[in-house]
Every structure is written in structure tokens, then in C-alpha cells.
Amino acid sequence: MSLLRVCALAKCASRRGLFHSGDVRVSPADRCWLFVSTRDGGIRRISETPLHLQRRKVSFMIPKRDDAKKRVVEQSQLLDVLKARIQQLQPDVVLDVHHANVQFVKAPSPGRGPKVAPKEKTDIPKSAKTLKAASKSKTSRWMEKLTREQKNKLTKVERLAQKIQKNVKEKPSAKSKGSQSSSALPGTSHKVVSNAAPLAKSRARTKLSDEIRAAVSFTEVAAAHAGSKGKPKASRKLGPAKEGKRQTEDRGGAEEIEKSRWTLSSNPQPPPPQKEEGEEEDGAAAACGDVQLSIRSYLEACVFAGDVERAHRFLLSQHRVRSRRKLLNTDVYNIMMRVWAKKGTLNQIGRIFILLEEAGLKPNLGSYCTALECMGRNPDCQPKLITRCLSQMEEDGLSVDDLLSRCVFRQDERDMVLKAVRGARPDYEPRLRAGAAQCPSLVQEFYAQRSDHRYPKLDFTREELRQRFALQLRLEQDCTVTIDSVEAAKPVTDYMAKMRKLLADHRAQWQKILLQALRESKRILANTNTKDYRLNLYPYLCVLEDGEYVDIMIQSVASLPPSGESLKILGRDLGHRVYTKYCVQQKQQNQVVEKLRNIYSAYTDLLAKDTKECVVLPSEYWAKLERDESSGPSLQGGETHWPYIVSVELGTYMVDLMVKNLKMNSDVLNPAFERKLIPILYHMYTFRNTRQVGFIKPHPILIQMQQDAMESKLTFDSYVMPMLCPPVPWTSVKFGAYLLTPTKLMRTVEGATQHEVLLEKCQNLLPVLDSLNQLGNCAWSINKPLLDIIISIFNDRGSDRLDIPPPLSEAPKIPHFNAQDPAYTSAEKAHMKRDVINAKKKCSEMHSLRMDALYKLSIANHVRDEIFWFPHNMDFRGRTYPCPPYFNHLGSDVTRALLVFAEGKPLGPKGLDWLKIHLVNLTGLKKRSSLEGRLQYANAIMEDVLDSADNPLNGNKWWMNADEPWQALGCCMEIANAVRSPDPTQFISNFPVHQDGSCNGLQHYAALGRDVIGATSVNLMPCEMPQDVYSGVAQQVEEFRLRDAQSGLKIAQVLEGFISRKVVKQTVMTVVYGVTRYGGRLQIEKRLKEIEDFPKNPNALYFQEHVWDASHYLVRMVFSSLKEMFTGTREIQDWLTDCARLISKSGHTVEWVTPLGLPVIQPYHRTRNQVLKSSIQLINLQITHDAKERPDTVKQKNAFPPNFIHSLDSTHMMLTALHCYSAGLTFVSVHDCFWTHALTVDTMNQICREQFVALHSQPILRELSEFLLQKYCTGLPAEAKNKKYQEYRRMMLLLAKVPQTGDFDLKRVKESTYFFS
């Protein structure tokens, strides 16, 4: 009967309808103990049960102060029922429940307890009488329902007990109780570990965990566990039928654990914060982010901070409960195995191997690596155990060579593994082979035949490059850099000096206050008795020194805009800064820096000018160097990205510390004010669109102090600055770009992981990585004469005409008025309110633009005498971007004008002509002229060009009328220097010359469809004069307008004379990238408002007269014109749209692979709201990339055509970059605008056209169709009448129906002068 009692109680405890999982704990042992936990003097309430719902419905009848007593009564009645059933099943103990405590009383005669009827009442303390008195006069149908519910539950219990008793009787009643000395391992609930007797059914081969256990004393294992997690509970092994049912829970309770949302608990019991609009209070909302990522990042933070005990307890608590154990993978267990391996404690390794077996997981390479490392550190380890470990690896299909080539090592781990392996196999030598990359057919010849390749060298010696490496390494180790502001050139007044000193004194005081507050909050978090299974912020607050957190917070205060910042964004940025610094320190702790220095020193042999040439690409050379210097830590990977929610919550915790603790005196600027301490930051709410958003806003006094001080220093994160040495080449998905700063290969939405998963599976990314390396290896310098002119205008009053933002002193004054003044009418008040809103908006915009320009100019001024590089990465479509966010060549006209190539090349015979043509292109004039016509125009205006170069601010200022004035001025200066040189052909030019695609998106569509008319319109077909598609569309729209005007349409008549190339250009350019009619109408509306002569209505508040109707009319005409001019384009666009619509409706996201082998997936899913319960407010995180949600059909179908075309134009750019590099050219790109020296423009043009033809000679649409069919149309339902079969069949037919192509000869592109010009 003992087994019967165990099973019955386990069944009862597992039924949540009766007890909260944390309230009733059943642990079968020699004696059956039933444990009921108490909280706040009463039993924890039963949650999410019908009884709970019924009780909540009648809660209004009972005073709030009696809630706890009421819960006691209700649960007492249920416990009475269970007590009766336990006694009926011959229990060892009976339960006696009182109001505030739980007692266990031995039964007088085991197995003979009196049977208690279900309706029998139990003596209830005073609380029950209170309940009875409170509800006696209000007995209603709700209480009757409660009674019926209790009866129903009792019936279920009786049936369950009978069923269990019947099942037990059918099985053997006798069971071996095992050795009394055997005890369960930590975290195990149903596994017997005994040294006394073998298992009845042993496996054919001994497990590695058994070997490890045999190598150490089992009592040592048990003692170690007892020291780390208290006394382990003995348990018996249940039969197979019961083992799957059994679930052991820790003290937190399974119900609460299973509902854990994997969010960090930064405040054990925070006051109820104010909610933002749109937030959900549902506790069952899906967790944000990946659970495994949360667990791994938490464990690694604990280990890095030295809190191994916390990490150990957390892993065991996750392992104990089956529902959470399913969320673990082998890599999670490996984190703790790595810790024990460092300590050389083999017994702990054995314990975790046992936990892996219990979890149904197989050890992977990382598991065996830690075991071998531990054996290597243990001098007493016997070779027999090592041999057994190696044999187990081989049985699992793993080899030592795989382990050494694929595992990520830290410090001396690899050396210890080799030591262990050679202890069993003395002659072993690792055979590390470079992985054979499978290159796509497009670039197979490029990688196979390199006899004619001439890779460029940098204009630096090896020693110079090594010195630059040392500077960059020091910069990244500091994580921040402080530079002079360009505003520092202004004379410092006494008042400015006073304000600067005042700010410095306050910041020193704030640092002390924040340091003390942070330490106190950490002490509270560390001592808070939180559950082991809960993720806590404490480890993340320990990965850095306290002073480093304070520095990050002080820096954020200094950079906070006057209008404030969203709490979500501010918290994310703070968390990201902590993570970046944490990753850098991780690499330093793992001894990566010294190995990186050695490899980079050898890598300079490939780049330096004083070394011999070799036909090897940077990624290949770096990979070879890594293989040659294989000892020591791994350089690649190893870091676990923090989930987005972790970064946000850590950041908001830091924001909360600042808001609560940073204060200053109210009379700091005006002694007449009453002195009192006021916070310098305010937490407030504002509306964005219709959503209420939490904001952190600085106090006006602080804003005034900062503006008056005009501080001369700016502090940036190190990754904001350009690199001072050539970037580390991308050799894998996880390694490249900066030396120490973590950088993603692919830019994604915060928290999205599906792209990274695809990339890690991909084996043929070498061409993509090499193209990124080529772009990053381009060295840059500053155009100093131009920089000085721009800074002088910036420090004067700016210039809207020249795109130099004016200072805030030029901002409009915000009007003030009394809204209660009866002298104003309601219309006047509304008008004044609108003026106030517009003035505030204008001030905010001016501040943003001013600070953006200040950052860019200050960074440029900081590196004015340096040579620097921009490391590159890409977005999910393959489009490339420089990593530094502020200052790069993808910026505005101002930043582009400041950048020139560090390496100069002679102009050669045609270089000067290309400079002149480039100048005319920058003016925006002569777009319909031939190259000869543009050159003639440039020669005709040479006087203005030279005047602009000599007197940019005091001459006739011809350059200011150009479309890109600052680049035009820089080109004027370069031309002037060239023509005045003794021999212009030998003039060394650093100036980049651009060749821009002619509406590149339409070019790709026309090439895909072989559309002759479309190809001619976008210059794929050779023509004597360039074809301007924008002018062509404008002409077509004018014909439509003329027809409608003759028919009497008023708006067509109003538009006479106003349809121009400029009005339709943006819409034509973006329609190929998926702009909708709504977006196109807004674009055209903006262009019409810029026309001064367009009909105006003086009474209109928002719109000029006819603008609304005209924009609606014109967007229809533009779309109609494009449909007539590009029939093939529209067919392909519609086919792509329909494919994406059916794919997403079937529940899948759209995926494809670019011709260069880059996998692309659209991360558009239905929005899921995740509420982050931070200590300062509830934050609503809108998750649109959760792969568990269904795809967003609208976004998927609208985005597929433009994203697919973007992936093609990025492929074309990468092909051009690779072949330019092999030809020895300097090449960079701004998407479809290619840059090179004036000397090599002709060579780049030839390569550009050849690679476009090579790209579109591939059957791109057919291969896309085959990929989609294989991906989404396999395993169709067998029944033809099945609705799902019909949907799949319709999708299959659509995917297979590739649009037909025209007769355009693609090779004609090679002869087209104006394809890129």
C-alpha cells in the first residue's frame, strides 16, 4: 500500500485544480509528508481554477480585510476532502489545518484512520466564523455554485483514487526499496544512483557519466551538492507508468514557475506603476525573446561576475521541473561544465553529464571539450578514463579534430584538451583543415583563376600599420573616447567658464551619489530572497565595476536632448553600452588581446606596401594565420547576445536610479528662488500619435546650464569613431570588423534571431564576406580646406541654404498666452495653441539637426590629420552600410564632401575630363546631355569653377546653386589644383568620382523581364543621349493631363504648367521599391507645396488650395504611366506580390537566396505586445519579429518585390566590388552609386556592366520559383477534396508560373554609356 499512497498523493499534488503547485508539495519517501506553504499568515490562494473564478465572483460580499481568512476557509474545506481520501488510502500522516500555520500529526493507527464523509465539517478557527457572519445574510446562487463546484471536484478525486488503486493492483505489489545509503543527485527527481547494486537492465555499453562517477567518490558528489543546495531529498524510483507523470518542484511552486515570463525581477515588490496605454495585464502573455538565450546570458553573467553559486542553483532549479527542463539545451549545461572544468573538479562534470542524460540530451562537442579540459587539468586523471571519453565521442560520431576546429576556446582550454588527449594518445597531432567553401556559380571562376589578379596594397609600411593597430586597440579597450567639440573654437566668456565649473562640480557630486545608490540597490537585490528559478538583474549589475555603470549614466545625462527621450530608447541605449563594455572585458579576461595582436601583426604583411605581393584575399590570409597559431583562445564567437528585454530592463533600472537620486538646488541659477532640492530628470508621459509613451526629460535649469556652458568636450562610444587601422576581415558570421567591440554581420530588428540562424547554416558566404572586406579596406582622409569653411559657417549662424543647421538662438520664440483669458475667442486660442505646438516642434527639430551636425563635424575635426577606415556590415537584404553611425560616406552632402580617398592616383589622360563631368553631374544640370555635352559645359564655366575654388564665400558663389553644393565646391577645388599643376595628367588626385545607376530598381526589373521598352527607358539599351525615365514619366503624365483638361476636368486644368520632372521623380524612383499610392501621394503633395506659384488659399490652415486633389490625381497618373511604360516590370512585381501573399497565408515567412548565396528571410510577423514590468513604469514592447507568431500577410506581400530587388542590386554591387579589388582598383559604394578614382572610372564602368550582364544571365526568376516550390510545396495533402490541398495546389501553380520574358538582348548593356554615368 505504500506505493499506492505515493502514487495517489503524487496525482493529487499534480492536479492544479485542487492545490496551487507551490502550496502542496508531495515528495514520496519512506514516509509521506504533505507540505502546505503559508504566506502572510494565510495559505496561498488557488489560481486559475474554476473554484478561484467562483470565489472572485463573490468577493464583493466579503470585506477586504477578511480576504485572507476567506481563503483559509475555502482551502480548509478542500484540504478536509483530501485528508479524508488520504486516510482512506492508509496514510502515514493526517493533516490538521489551522488559520496561520500547518501542523503534521501522526495517525493513531496507520492504515486504520476513520473515514470522513465529504460533507463533514471541520473545526474552523475564528476566521471561519467571521466569514460566516459576513455572508450569512447574503446567501445567494453564487454560494450555491461554489458548493456544487466543490462537490464536482470531490467526485473527480474519488474517481481518480479508484483508478489509481485499480492500476496499482494490476502491477506487482512487491518492490525493492534499494539501499538506504543511495541518494538522488542534485536536480534529479526519479533517477536512482547507487554504488551498491547494478541496474536490473543495464545498457550494452557503460556510459561516460558512469565512468566519471567511478573515478571519484560518490559521497564526494553528494557532499558537494549538500554544500551548494542544502540537504538533497531521497526519492524512490517509480515504475515506468508513473515516471512520466512525476514532477518534482522547488519551493517556488510549479504553477508560478511555469507562468514565469522570463523577465528580470529588478524590484522584489515594487509599488504598482502607472501603465502606458495599450498595455495588456494578462499574466499569460507570451514571453519576449528566446528563453534559451535568456538562460544562457544569465548564466554567463553570473559566471563572469564570479557568482558561480547563483549560476549553479539556477541551473538546478531549471532542471528539476520538466516544463522548464524542456527549454534547456546542451549548451546551457556546458556553461556550468566549463566552470567546473576550470576548477578541475571532475565529480561536478560527472554530475552534469548525469543531468544531461536525465534531460534526454546528448553531449555535444562542447560537453566533451569541458570533460577533456578537466581531465587535462587534473594530474591524477587516469588514461583509462580519457580513453573511455574519446571512445564515447567516436561512438557519438564526433572526433577530436572536429572538437579542436569547431569549439570556441577561452584562455588555455585548448592546450588542456590537447594535454588530456595526448595523455591517452601520445602521438596525436591535430589535423586542422580549412573548410572547403562552396562558391556560387557566379564567382567560381573568380576564385579558381587568379593569375591576372592584382590586389591593391595600402600606402603604409608594416610598422605603421602595427602602430595604428595599437592605437585602435587602446581606443576599444577604453570603450569611450572624448574629443574636442568644434564649438570650442568660440571664445570662452566668464559666464561660460562659470557654467562649466558649475556643471563639473555637480557631476562630481552626482557621481558620488549614484555610486552610493547603486551599491545600496545591489546590496538589496543580492539579499532579496528571490526564487532560484527567477532571472534577476543582480548578475547584470555585477559584470562591470560600479564606477563604470556610474560613468555610463553620467554620460547619458550629458547627451539627453532638451525635449527628452523615450524611456524605452534611453533604457535600450544604456543596456547596450553595458553589454558592449562587458563583451570587451570578456575578451580581455579570455586572453584574446595578445593572440589578436600577434595575428594582426602577421596580417599586415598582406596589406603593407613594403611586402611582396600575394594573390590571397584578406579573409583567406587571416584564416590561414588563425590555423597556424591555433594554440590559446579562439578569436571567433563565444559571446552570447543579451536579449532585447534584458538590455531594456537593465537600462531602465539605471534610469530609475538617476531619476530618484540626481538632484540639485533650485536656486543654482537664480538666488532669488527658494532653495530646495529638485530632481534634474523627470519621468513623464506624452503622446506619440495615439499612444501614451513614458519619457525622461531633463529639468529646464539643467538644460539652461548646459546651453550656457557650451562645453568644449564630447564623449562618444568607441564604435562611433572610424577605425584607425584596417578592420579585421570578416571570416565568419560572428567575427570581423572591430578588434574587440562586438559587431553583427547582419543588421536586424532588435531581438530578431531568424537571420542569424540562417547565416550560421549557410556554407557559401565567402563572396559576401570578401565584398564587405573590400569595402572596409578603403582608407579615407579629411578634406581639410573644406572642413574649415564648413566649421566657420557652423560657428557663425549656420545656413539653411547650404544645409548647415543654425544654432538654437535662431529658433523661433515659443509664444506664451493665458488660455483662461476671456479676451481671446475660442478660434484665437486654438490658433495660438497651434502656434505653440509648431514652435516647440521647430525647436526640437533644430536641436536634433544641430547636434547631428555638431557630432559629424567634431568627429571629422578629430580625425582631420589621420587616415581612417569604415568597417562594413549589411542589412537582411544584403545592402551594405558602414558601421560608424554618424560620420560616413552614406551621409548627407556635407559629410560626403569632407571625405576623400587617403591614397591618391594620377589623373592620367582622361582623369581631368571625368572630374569635370562629375562636377556637372553634381550641379544637377545637363541630365539629358551627352558626356561630351557635359564636358563642353564644364569647360565653358571654368571661370566660375576657379572663382568658387579661390573665393568660396566672397566670390560669385556659383557652387551654392548646385544640387550638391559642398561636393561641387570640393570638386571645384580639385579641378583648380589639377589645371594649375605643371602636368594635369600626373596630378595626384584623391577625389572620388561617382557613377550613379539610372533608376537602378527599374533597371533590374527591365533586365529580369527582358523588356525592350523598359530597358530603353532606363539606359540598358545603348543610346546617343541619356534616357531620363523621370522626364519620360513626366511627359506621359502631361499627355494624360492634357487629355483630361480638354474633357473638362478642373484639377487637370489647374495643373497646367506644374507637371515637371522634379514633381514625379521621387515617386517614380520609389514605386519600384514598393511605395504605395498613399505614400506616393504624400511625396507629390510635398513637391507641390514647394512650388511658390501653385494656387494658394489664404484661408486654408494646413493645405494650399488644390494640393489635395492634385496629389491624388497625379499619383494615379504616375502609376498609370509606369504601367504603360514598364509592362514587364508590373507583371513581375505582381507575381512576386501574389507569391508572397499565398506563402504568408499558408503560415510561412518568405525566404529566398540571392545569386551570391546569401539567405534572406522577411522578419514581418503579427505584432505581439510584451509588457516589461520595470521598476519605473510598465513598458509595452511591440514585437513584430517573433517567429512563433503568424506572418503579417500585408507586410510580407508588400515588401517582397522591393526587398527582392534590393537583394539583386546588392548582389550586383558585391560582384563589382570583388572584381574591382582583383583589378587593383579603389572602390566603394553608396548602394547603386559607385565611387573610384578619376583614373579608374573607365575600368570600373566596364566591370560594372560585365557583372550586371553576368548576374542577369542567370535564370534568376526560374531559380527563385524552384526554391519557393521546394521550400513551401512539399508534402501536399493526399486528399484532392481537402481545402488545404486546394490552397497548396493554387500556391504551387502560382509559384511555378514564372512571368514570360521579352526579347531584349542583355549583352547590349555592355555597350550602354549611360547605364551608370
Side-chain angles (χ1 to χ4, degrees), residues 176 178-179 181-182 192-200:
S176 173
S179 172
S181 63
S182 65
V192 173
V193 181
S194 175
N195 293 333
L199 294 174

Side-chain angles (χ1 to χ4, degrees), residues 744-749 752-756 758-759 765 768 873-881 1149-1154 1157-1164 1185 1195-1196 1199-1200 1202-1208 1210-1211 1214:
K744 287 186 177 182
L745 173 66
M746 184 171 282
R747 302 179 176 204
T748 57
V749 182
T753 58
Q754 51 265 58
H755 308 284
E756 189 174 346
L758 279 180
L759 289 175
L765 283 178
V768 175
N873 60 3
M874 58 186 173
D875 64 13
F876 73 93
R877 303 161 301 187
R879 283 200 143 190
T880 59
Y881 300 86
T1149 53
V1150 181
E1151 288 184 42
W1152 70 96
V1153 178
T1154 70
L1158 179 69
V1160 182
I1161 181 172
Q1162 296 191 147
Y1164 312 124
H1185 54 266
K1195 286 185 178 180
Q1196 289 282 344
F1200 185 33
N1203 285 341
F1204 182 71
I1205 296 301
H1206 277 311
S1207 70
L1208 290 183
S1210 72
T1211 300
M1214 289 179 176

Side-chain angles (χ1 to χ4, degrees), residues 229-245:
K229 185 60 184 170
K231 183 178 179 180
K233 298 183 181 296
S235 63
R236 300 186 182 189
K237 182 170 182 178
L238 301 180
K242 306 300 180 291
E243 186 172 355
K245 306 273 187 183

Side-chain angles (χ1 to χ4, degrees), residues 1093-1128:
D1093 298 335
F1094 201 76
K1096 294 180 173 63
N1097 181 359
N1099 297 321
L1101 294 177
Y1102 298 105
F1103 298 101
Q1104 297 171 354
E1105 188 180 11
H1106 303 304
V1107 166
W1108 178 270
D1109 294 334
S1111 60
H1112 272 283
Y1113 174 78
L1114 285 179
V1115 75
R1116 291 199 309 271
M1117 295 303 101
V1118 168
F1119 274 72
S1120 299
S1121 299
L1122 287 171
K1123 194 170 184 178
E1124 285 193 9
M1125 295 174 64
F1126 298 90
T1127 54

Side-chain angles (χ1 to χ4, degrees), residues 872 880-882 887-892 895-896 899 1229-1231 1235:
H872 280 63
T880 59
Y881 300 86
F887 183 68
N888 58 64
H889 60 283
L890 260 67
S892 63
T895 51
R896 292 189 189 188
L899 289 166
S1229 78
V1230 181
H1231 304 317
W1235 298 14

Side-chain angles (χ1 to χ4, degrees), residues 451-722:
S451 57
D452 58 340
H453 288 191
R454 297 179 292 106
Y455 300 140
K457 293 273 191 177
L458 296 176
D459 193 21
F460 297 97
T461 64
R462 284 180 295 180
E463 187 58 33
E464 288 173 338
L465 289 176
R466 290 166 185 170
Q467 290 174 0
R468 291 182 170 277
F469 168 83
L471 292 174
Q472 179 66 27
L473 181 63
R474 188 159 56 247
L475 178 68
E476 293 190 38
Q477 286 175 327
D478 294 338
C479 292
T480 58
V481 57
T482 300
I483 66 176
D484 290 326
S485 166
V486 292
E487 290 183 329
K490 292 185 176 181
V492 179
T493 64
D494 293 340
Y495 187 69
M496 287 170 58
K498 177 183 176 182
M499 287 297 103
R500 289 180 183 181
K501 184 178 184 305
L502 190 61
L503 268 179
D505 293 342
H506 275 82
R507 283 173 184 158
Q509 182 182 2
W510 293 336
Q511 280 184 321
K512 295 178 182 178
I513 294 173
L514 277 179
L515 190 62
Q516 182 179 356
L518 176 63
R519 288 172 177 168
E520 180 63 20
S521 65
K522 285 174 61 176
R523 186 186 61 80
I524 294 174
L525 278 178
N527 295 331
T528 300
N529 187 24
T530 54
K531 308 301 180 185
D532 288 338
Y533 60 83
R534 283 192 175 176
L535 300 171
N536 187 275
L537 265 184
Y538 180 73
Y540 298 103
L541 290 169
C542 297
V543 294
L544 305 180
E545 296 293 334
D546 293 342
E548 292 175 311
Y549 290 98
V550 172
D551 290 341
I552 291 173
M553 288 187 274
I554 294 295
Q555 180 186 344
S556 69
V557 173
S559 60
L560 201 61
S563 58
E565 185 61 272
S566 163
L567 175 62
K568 186 192 305 184
I569 295 175
L570 183 58
R572 179 202 65 191
D573 292 344
L574 286 172
H576 181 66
R577 287 194 182 107
V578 173
Y579 171 74
T580 300
K581 206 156 193 174
Y582 162 65
C583 286
V584 171
Q585 294 187 7
Q586 259 191 324
K587 292 181 179 179
Q588 291 176 320
Q589 185 188 72
N590 295 335
Q591 302 174 0
V592 168
V593 174
E594 189 58 36
K595 183 173 181 178
L596 181 66
R597 181 182 287 107
N598 295 336
I599 293 180
Y600 196 95
S601 178
Y603 174 65
T604 58
D605 293 344
L606 179 71
L607 305 177
K609 63 183 180 181
D610 57 343
T611 57
K612 64 179 182 179
E613 292 188 4
C614 55
V615 189
V616 182
L617 292 167
S619 62
E620 298 170 334
Y621 196 73
W622 186 279
K624 177 182 178 300
L625 292 174
E626 277 202 76
R627 290 193 300 271
D628 293 343
E629 192 166 341
S630 55
S631 63
S634 303
L635 298 183
Q636 303 189 18
E639 305 91 13
T640 299
H641 293 293
W642 285 358
Y644 175 59
I645 194 169
V646 171
S647 297
V648 173
E649 184 157 7
L650 177 61
T652 54
Y653 185 85
M654 296 166 69
V655 172
D656 189 37
L657 283 177
M658 293 190 290
V659 171
K660 290 179 178 177
N661 295 281
L662 296 185
K663 298 181 180 181
M664 64 181 174
N665 290 324
S666 57
D667 63 345
V668 64
L669 293 182
N670 191 345
F673 289 171
E674 178 187 358
R675 169 168 290 198
K676 60 180 180 180
L677 283 177
I678 56 173
I680 67 169
L681 300 176
Y682 282 92
H683 175 230
M684 55 185 294
Y685 290 87
T686 186
F687 283 90
R688 285 194 172 175
N689 297 326
T690 58
R691 300 182 60 82
Q692 187 178 353
V693 178
F695 247 65
I696 301 298
K697 188 172 182 179
H699 195 281
I701 295 179
L702 177 63
I703 297 172
Q704 189 65 44
M705 291 170 62
Q706 291 175 336
Q707 291 177 352
D708 292 343
M710 296 184 65
E711 292 182 292
S712 60
K713 298 291 183 181
L714 296 173
T715 301
F716 295 106
D717 297 311
S718 59
Y719 62 84
V720 167
M721 307 297 293

